[in-house]
């Protein structure tokens, strides 16, 4: 499998590297950044394990998980982390987290578009779905702006902060994906 590089108008997705650990810890170790995620803030050791797993997943055969660094276009510094995990039936689940300093700039919707470009244009998927915390209204707006449709609620989906929490799910199908005019993303897999 060759590395995945995706570029949009303002962002790029690239493979995770060992040097990304500190920037990822600034997100995954931050209580505010993880408030609506499916886990509590991570320790340095846990983030190092995530980095290592992300790097290992890039060389798995077959590759079923794409853990990618979100960067500003033309820059290398990680400002977020995106994940696409394939499932049977030509489907995948996606998720992402941006550093709080990047919130409110429309970068979440662009991240979802880039993940959809990977899923539909590169991997040939039929369906992509995502889940959010019921309290994360910003995520709801982001997923809808990115063209996804709210599907419903999974009750007691994740156990976090000592309690069960529901998730609200969203999806988009390949025939609903409008890559032209929505995102000038180029998905290429370089050697």
């Amino acid at each position: 499998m060759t590395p995945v590089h995706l570029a949009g108008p303002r962002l790029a997705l690239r493979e995770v590297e060992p040097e990304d650990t500190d920037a990822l810890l600034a997100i995954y170790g931050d209580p505010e950044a993880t408030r609506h995620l499916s886990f509590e803030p991570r320790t340095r050791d846990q983030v190092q394990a995530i980095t290592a797993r992300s790097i290992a997943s890039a060389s798995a055969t077959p590759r079923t998980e794409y853990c990618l660094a979100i960067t500003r276009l033309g820059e290398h510094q990680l400002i977020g982390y995106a994940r696409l995990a394939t499932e049977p039936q030509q489907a995948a689940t996606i998720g992402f987290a941006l550093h709080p300093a990047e919130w409110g700039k429309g970068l979440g919707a662009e991240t979802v578009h880039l993940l959809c470009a990977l899923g539909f244009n590169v991997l040939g998927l039929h369906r992509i779905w995502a889940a959010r915390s019921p309290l994360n209204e910003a995520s709801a707006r982001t997923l809808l702006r990115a063209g996804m449709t709210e599907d419903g609620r999974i009750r007691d989906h994740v156990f976090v902060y000592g309690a069960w929490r529901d998730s609200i799910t969203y999806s988009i199908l390949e025939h609903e994906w409008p890559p032209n005019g929505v995102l000038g993303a180029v998905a290429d897999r370089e050697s």
Side-chain angles (χ1 to χ4, degrees), residues 132-135 150-157 165-170:
R132 69 165 177 92
S133 161
L135 298 177
E150 184 176 326
D151 289 329
R153 178 181 294 257
I154 303 175
R155 298 182 307 142
D156 285 358
H157 185 222
R165 187 200 79 202
D166 293 356
S167 291
I168 309 298
T169 62
Y170 295 76

Side-chain angles (χ1 to χ4, degrees), residues 27-38:
I27 300 167
Y28 278 3
D30 182 339
E32 179 63 14
T34 58
R35 180 168 41 119
H36 294 299
L37 298 181
S38 60

Side-chain angles (χ1 to χ4, degrees), residues 8-77:
R10 297 177 296 161
L11 297 178
L13 300 182
R14 63 164 172 78
E15 300 290 353
V16 171
E17 301 170 352
E19 298 78 24
D20 293 326
T21 299
D22 288 338
L24 185 54
L25 180 61
I27 300 167
Y28 278 3
D30 182 339
E32 179 63 14
T34 58
R35 180 168 41 119
H36 294 299
L37 298 181
S38 60
F39 54 84
E40 297 175 35
R42 302 292 197 195
T43 65
R44 172 171 288 286
D45 288 344
Q46 290 171 320
V47 171
Q48 285 176 323
I50 292 168
T51 301
R53 188 191 83 223
S54 299
I55 293 166
S57 73
S59 60
T61 304
R63 186 170 185 180
T64 59
E65 186 175 39
Y66 296 80
C67 302
L68 303 166
I70 304 168
T71 68
R72 291 199 171 280
L73 189 62
E75 298 179 13
H76 197 74
Q77 177 68 29

Side-chain angles (χ1 to χ4, degrees), residues 84-146:
L84 180 148
T86 60
E87 301 174 343
Q89 303 298 322
Q90 293 179 279
T93 181
I94 60 170
F96 69 94
L98 290 165
H99 190 281
E102 305 299 334
W103 293 358
K105 300 176 183 177
L107 301 180
E110 186 170 336
T111 299
V112 173
H113 283 298
L114 288 168
L115 289 169
C116 286
L118 172 63
F120 294 130
N121 299 348
V122 178
L123 303 176
L125 298 178
H126 173 70
R127 180 178 187 271
I128 295 174
W129 72 281
R132 69 165 177 92
S133 161
L135 298 177
N136 192 346
E137 290 298 324
S139 182
R141 290 187 299 274
T142 294
L143 295 169
L144 292 170
R145 188 177 317 115

